[in-house]
């Protein structure tokens, strides 16, 4: 049924979402951004550029360009990954299982190449991936489907034969728009949210997933 598996990175391969939150609070907050003022933003799954642009539009700061702020946030997260990044529970075992099944594996992330390379190196999992797609390779990030379509193209697999793991609504939306089957892994506080109903299946962590049981899970 499936010839390839594509992973999102932040919140899927690695629990980096807290780092993104810390970076935004430290850097944007340091510039005077008040996150309690509307219009508020659910930033999970969005590009760093779009998050910065949102707050700059509504609460502009006098110093630093949006690009400089974006780069500071990315560097903050990269440093955190280097110092203490840990693979999501069950990920190493699943990657081994997929490799043994001779499936093609890719990563498709709204993060830049710096963070992608840093994460794969920190987790020592780079050798599993046949394709690595990051935000700098596409015109539009998630929730647009571009990055997932690029991953399928790089793998040489039709989108309908790709299985995706995503933790964010933006990512699930992107993968579904690309015509792929999606397993959502929502954060605990979003587990019950109806927005993830568009996913084909939902799990709490990789230990709940067995590729060999996939047809039954999706039936």
């Amino acid at each position: 049924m499936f010839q390839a598996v594509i992973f999102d990175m932040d919140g899927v391969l690695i629990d980096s979402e807290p780092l993104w939150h810390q970076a935004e609070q430290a850097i944007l907050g340091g510039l005077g951004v008040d996150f309690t003022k509307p219009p508020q933003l659910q930033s999970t799954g969005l590009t760093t550029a779009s998050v910065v642009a949102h707050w700059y539009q509504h609460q502009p700061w006098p110093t630093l360009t949006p690009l400089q702020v974006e780069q500071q946030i990315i560097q903050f997260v990269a440093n955190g990954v280097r110092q203490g990044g840990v693979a999501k529970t069950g990920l190493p075992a699943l990657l081994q299982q997929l490799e043994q099944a001779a499936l093609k594996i890719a990563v498709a992330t709204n993060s830049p190449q710096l963070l992608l390379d840093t994460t794969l190196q920190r987790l020592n999992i780079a050798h599993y991936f046949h394709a690595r797609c990051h935000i700098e390779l596409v015109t539009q990030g998630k929730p647009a489907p571009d990055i997932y379509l690029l991953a399928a193209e790089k793998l040489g697999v039709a989108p309908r034969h790709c299985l995706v793991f995503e933790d964010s609504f933006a990512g699930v939306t992107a993968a579904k728009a690309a015509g792929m089957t999606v397993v959502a892994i929502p954060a605990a506080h979003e587990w019950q949210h109806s927005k993830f109903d568009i996913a084909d299946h939902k799990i709490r962590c990789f230990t709940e997933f067995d590729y060999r049981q996939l047809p039954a899970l999706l039936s």
Side-chain angles (χ1 to χ4, degrees):
M1 183 178 179
F2 297 103
Q3 300 170 13
V5 178
I6 307 175
F7 293 84
D8 173 43
M9 185 181 75
D10 294 294
V12 174
L13 298 182
I14 187 171
D15 188 17
S16 53
E17 292 302 338
L19 285 173
W20 285 106
H21 180 70
Q22 292 167 22
E24 291 170 13
Q25 293 289 326
I27 295 168
L28 290 172
L31 290 168
V33 170
D34 184 348
F35 297 98
T36 66
K37 290 184 178 180
Q40 296 177 348
L41 180 69
Q42 172 52 263
S43 60
T44 302
L46 300 180
T47 65
T48 311
S50 64
V51 173
V52 172
H54 169 87
W55 292 114
Y56 188 71
Q57 177 184 356
H58 297 287
Q59 298 184 46
W61 47 84
T63 60
L64 301 180
T65 66
L67 179 58
Q68 288 173 318
V69 174
E70 177 187 354
Q71 291 172 338
Q72 285 189 9
I73 291 174
I74 290 169
Q75 193 60 58
F76 184 106
V77 177
N79 290 339
V81 169
R82 291 190 192 98
Q83 293 169 12
V86 178
K88 294 286 281 188
T89 302
L91 175 67
L94 176 58
L95 289 172
Q96 292 174 12
Q97 187 181 51
L98 298 177
E99 183 180 57
Q100 291 167 2
L103 289 165
K104 295 182 178 180
I105 307 174
V107 57
T109 176
N110 264 358
S111 289
Q113 184 175 2
L114 168 66
L115 276 176
L116 175 56
D117 292 345
T118 299
T119 298
L120 297 184
Q121 181 179 5
R122 168 68 188 185
L123 303 184
N124 193 28
I125 57 174
H127 57 285
Y128 286 109
F129 294 91
H130 303 93
R132 307 177 193 179
C133 300
H134 52 81
I135 189 61
E136 294 159 324
L137 298 177
V138 294
T139 303
Q140 297 184 85
K142 306 169 191 177
D146 304 33
I147 201 160
Y148 278 114
L149 293 173
L150 176 63
E153 179 183 346
K154 283 179 169 288
L155 293 175
V157 175
R160 68 181 182 276
H161 295 310
C162 295
L163 176 69
V164 172
F165 287 101
E166 265 288 356
D167 70 313
S168 72
F169 178 65
V172 172
T173 301
K176 291 299 292 183
M180 300 178 178
T181 299
V182 184
V183 176
I185 317 177
H189 68 277
E190 291 195 304
W191 175 257
Q192 299 293 346
H193 203 296
S194 60
K195 65 185 178 182
F196 288 103
D197 291 348
I198 65 171
D200 298 279
H201 188 59
K202 188 169 69 169
I203 58 175
R204 296 182 187 277
C205 69
F206 288 122
T207 55
E208 294 182 5
F209 183 83
D210 187 336
Y211 179 78
R212 294 164 295 185
Q213 298 175 0
L214 187 60
L217 290 173
L218 299 178
S219 62

